[in-house]
Amino acid sequence: MDVRVRFAPSPTGYLHIGGLRTALFNYLFAKKTGGTFILRIEDTDRTRYVPDSLQDIMASMRWIGITWDEGPDISGKYAPYTQSERLPIYRQAADTLLADGHAYRCFCTPERLEKTRTDVGYDGHCRSLPPDEIERLLAANTPHVVRLAVPRSGTTRVRDFLRGEIEFENTLQDDLVLLKSDGFPTYHLAHVADDHAMAITHVLRGEEWLSSTPKHALLFAAFGWQPPLYVHLPVIRSPFGGKLSKRDGGMAVHDFIAQGYLPDAMTNFLALLGWSADGERSMITMAELEQEFVLEKIGMGSPVFDRAKLDDLNGKYIRKLDDAALAERCRPFLTAAGLMAEGDAAHEDILRRIMPLYRERLVLLRDIAEQAQFFFTDTLDYGSAENLIPKKTTREDAVRILQGAGRVLSGLAAFTHAEIEPILRALSEELGLSARQVFMTLRIALTAREVSPGLFETMEVLGRERTLARIARAQSLLSDA
């Protein structure tokens, strides 16, 4: 059997991190089996349509390297299937069920539906309307929907790959709406018709859809079609219990991109949310996943969204990047913060030179804009002159340190780490102060912070002129205060 799977999001909002995991599992299963992965946009709910969500869905998938294998060919590139462009298929499907007696027209008003709603939904009032009454209502253009005539007895069995065979009582199923009064299909009809038309063999989706599965099985049976094999994936849980929410990290994928997560880290993290490789590796590439992903290794337990684990993975992937690759990924965040301008050679040189200083420090790429700000601007905010004085150091000692540093650094033949370190250590002995006092005073003067990359490396990147200018300014602020 040729495997054919689909990811079928609705463009009613931006792609959620849980949706991206579902897309990834479908994609990996297709790759592993040599099958076909389809992207299908289920946009029949026009009232909740968000115009830019389709682009967001596709961009989020492409961000981690998910591409689809089929769809309308637009200039040599596949577009996703879009249900709003396939309406005749669903109307024909509804007509088939009407003709076979598996569906009926319902003319009930919204007011009547609300008044007579039962525990299982619609009370079936229009199910037994006489043919002449139906013709009269149609002739009068009375608004109506098409409903599935669910069997009044018996059970519906559904096979789920993870859970085995599940049985549902038909009496607990609603006569669900298939075609709305505006001619648009509901999700239930459209996706079943499409799964059949596209020869979908496996449906990997979140377990929140499990309760809808008997409806879909009933539809497949009414058409006389073979249903796909269902694989309902356990939902991602919040660390605080319950379903993942925005409060604890369940945000849109583009939010993670904006914070500076690497696609490799996100792919790795999502793949291991409910699936296991060999139980030992914490880092696994997309290429390895495509070779190793099997349904049998999907766990039944709901995985917990561990933000700390994601952050740790992201840091590890950052440290795997070479200087050029890391600079390329950091540049947009520095540009967005107004610290770099396109084509500025001086800033490009600084960016290249600070990459070794920040590789071990970055957790998120966006951190570079805050942590490295002082390299790209000479307008430092010390807050007050008092902040230039480290703990256990007096004002007088701080002034002496800055004066002495200005003197010894200005006379260096080469302004390099190798030349700077010994002369500053010698200065601390000359002044009778600890190296910590000297180095911290200079660190604050040069960076306006107590935590930064190595002092000597920082000085080398800043260069002699900028270093001496900052020392002089700090000395002046202390002397004038």
Side-chain angles (χ1 to χ4, degrees):
M1 176 179 63
D2 293 333
V3 168
R4 291 176 61 84
V5 295
R6 47 68 165 181
F7 176 57
S10 297
T12 54
Y14 303 121
L15 187 59
H16 182 275
I17 202 69
L20 186 61
R21 184 192 67 149
T22 299
L24 177 63
F25 279 22
N26 276 279
Y27 171 82
L28 293 176
F29 181 51
K31 288 297 179 183
K32 168 63 178 176
T33 58
T36 300
F37 172 70
I38 292 170
L39 174 60
R40 187 173 75 217
I41 304 301
E42 301 194 336
D43 62 341
T44 57
D45 186 349
R46 308 307 292 178
T47 61
R48 298 172 57 215
Y49 180 74
V50 176
D52 61 340
S53 61
L54 173 55
Q55 294 304 316
D56 177 84
I57 290 167
M58 293 191 294
S60 297
M61 293 172 64
R62 287 172 175 147
W63 176 61
I64 65 168
I66 295 177
T67 56
W68 41 100
D69 304 313
E70 191 177 294
D73 191 344
I74 299 178
S75 302
K77 190 175 185 178
Y78 288 128
Y81 289 109
T82 305
Q83 286 187 335
S84 61
E85 298 174 357
R86 298 166 58 82
L87 298 183
I89 294 174
Y90 315 128
R91 290 170 185 153
Q92 182 179 359
D95 287 343
T96 297
L97 292 179
L98 285 168
D100 293 344
H102 293 300
Y104 62 95
R105 302 181 191 277
C106 174
F107 298 89
C108 292
T109 64
E111 292 75 19
R112 185 191 180 281
L113 291 173
E114 184 62 32
K115 186 179 297 185
T116 60
R117 191 173 301 278
T118 68
D119 290 340
V120 292
Y122 179 56
D123 64 357
H125 173 74
C126 293
R127 187 162 174 161
S128 56
L129 283 179
D132 59 341
E133 177 65 6
I134 294 174
E135 291 301 322
R136 185 188 70 78
L137 291 169
L138 288 175
N141 292 319
T142 306
H144 68 282
V145 300
V146 175
R147 290 182 180 272
L148 179 68
V150 174
R152 294 302 197 190
S153 62
T155 60
T156 296
R157 292 181 174 85
V158 175
R159 184 187 169 208
D160 180 90
F161 181 84
L162 299 178
R163 296 162 178 80
E165 191 172 85
I166 309 172
E167 192 171 286
F168 299 88
E169 294 289 337
N170 289 338
T171 55
L172 300 179
Q173 304 304 318
D174 186 16
D175 283 2
L176 64 147
V177 174
L178 303 178
L179 206 64
K180 295 176 283 189
S181 58
D182 61 3
F184 271 76
T186 61
Y187 161 78
H188 303 292
L189 173 62
H191 106 270
V192 165
D194 277 340
D195 281 352
H196 173 72
M198 296 175 184
I200 300 301
T201 60
H202 298 71
V203 171
L204 281 68
R205 61 186 181 184
E207 67 180 359
E208 64 269 23
W209 291 105
L210 191 58
S211 61
S212 296
T213 306
K215 297 178 173 63
H216 306 155
L218 285 164
L219 260 174
F220 275 106
F223 282 116
W225 297 338
Q226 177 68 34
L229 174 61
Y230 290 99
V231 186
H232 287 95
L233 307 172
V235 297
I236 303 172
R237 288 190 297 114
S238 160
F240 310 104
K243 192 175 179 180
L244 187 66
S245 68
K246 188 170 183 178
R247 178 178 63 87
D248 42 47
M251 59 187 79
V253 177
H254 64 235
D255 290 323
F256 289 89
I257 298 173
Q259 290 179 42
Y261 286 95
L262 291 172
D264 288 346
M266 183 59 76
T267 301
N268 193 150
F269 177 73
L270 290 178
L272 298 180
L273 273 180
W275 182 85
S276 61
D278 51 22
E280 297 179 2
R281 283 174 295 169
S282 62
M283 298 183 71
I284 186 167
T285 66
M286 178 70 95
E288 291 171 330
L289 288 166
E290 291 175 2
Q291 291 296 316
E292 299 179 27
F293 186 87
V294 290
L295 299 180
E296 287 78 5
K297 290 188 177 181
I298 297 175
M300 280 292 292
S302 294
V304 175
F305 185 91
D306 188 341
R307 188 63 170 262
K309 184 175 181 179
L310 174 58
D311 288 351
D312 179 66
L313 264 178
N314 204 58
K316 288 177 178 176
Y317 275 96
I318 285 174
R319 290 189 283 280
K320 289 179 64 177
L321 297 173
D322 61 29
D323 288 351
L326 183 55
E328 187 69 23
R329 286 160 177 77
C330 286
R331 186 182 294 106
F333 295 91
L334 293 164
T335 302
L339 297 174
M340 286 188 68
E342 188 174 348
D344 189 319
H347 283 168
E348 285 293 338
D349 181 62
I350 291 172
L351 175 61
R352 176 183 58 81
R353 296 175 66 190
I354 66 174
M355 289 299 94
L357 308 184
Y358 283 99
R359 179 176 288 101
E360 298 294 328
R361 294 173 171 269
L362 294 177
V363 173
L364 305 176
L365 292 175
R366 72 171 183 185
D367 296 341
I368 191 71
E370 189 280 326
Q371 292 186 23
Q373 180 185 28
F374 62 87
F375 278 112
F376 295 91
T377 178
D378 290 315
T379 305
L380 302 185
D381 182 8
Y382 299 112
S384 70
E386 295 301 317
N387 292 333
L388 284 160
I389 307 170
K391 295 176 182 178
K392 299 182 180 179
T393 303
T394 65
R395 177 186 295 272
E396 292 73 18
D397 286 339
V399 170
R400 290 171 59 218
I401 291 168
L402 294 170
Q403 286 176 335
R407 170 173 51 83
V408 299
L409 291 172
S410 61
L412 285 178
F415 209 74
T416 63
H417 178 170
E419 296 291 328
I420 294 169
E421 183 175 0
I423 203 164
L424 289 182
R425 291 192 182 280
L427 177 64
S428 69
E429 294 182 10
E430 175 189 327
L431 298 177
L433 298 171
S434 70
R436 183 191 179 284
Q437 288 175 298
V438 172
F439 297 165
M440 183 58 74
T441 300
L442 290 172
R443 186 186 303 278
I444 296 171
L446 295 173
T447 68
R449 61 190 68 202
E450 293 185 353
V451 178
S452 71
L455 176 64
F456 315 121
E457 294 90 340
T458 296
M459 287 182 167
E460 183 173 337
V461 173
L462 287 173
R464 187 195 311 268
E465 183 178 338
R466 296 177 76 196
T467 296
L468 292 176
R470 294 185 186 193
I471 289 173
R473 180 179 173 229
Q475 181 183 333
S476 175
L477 289 172
L478 280 174
S479 299
D480 295 342

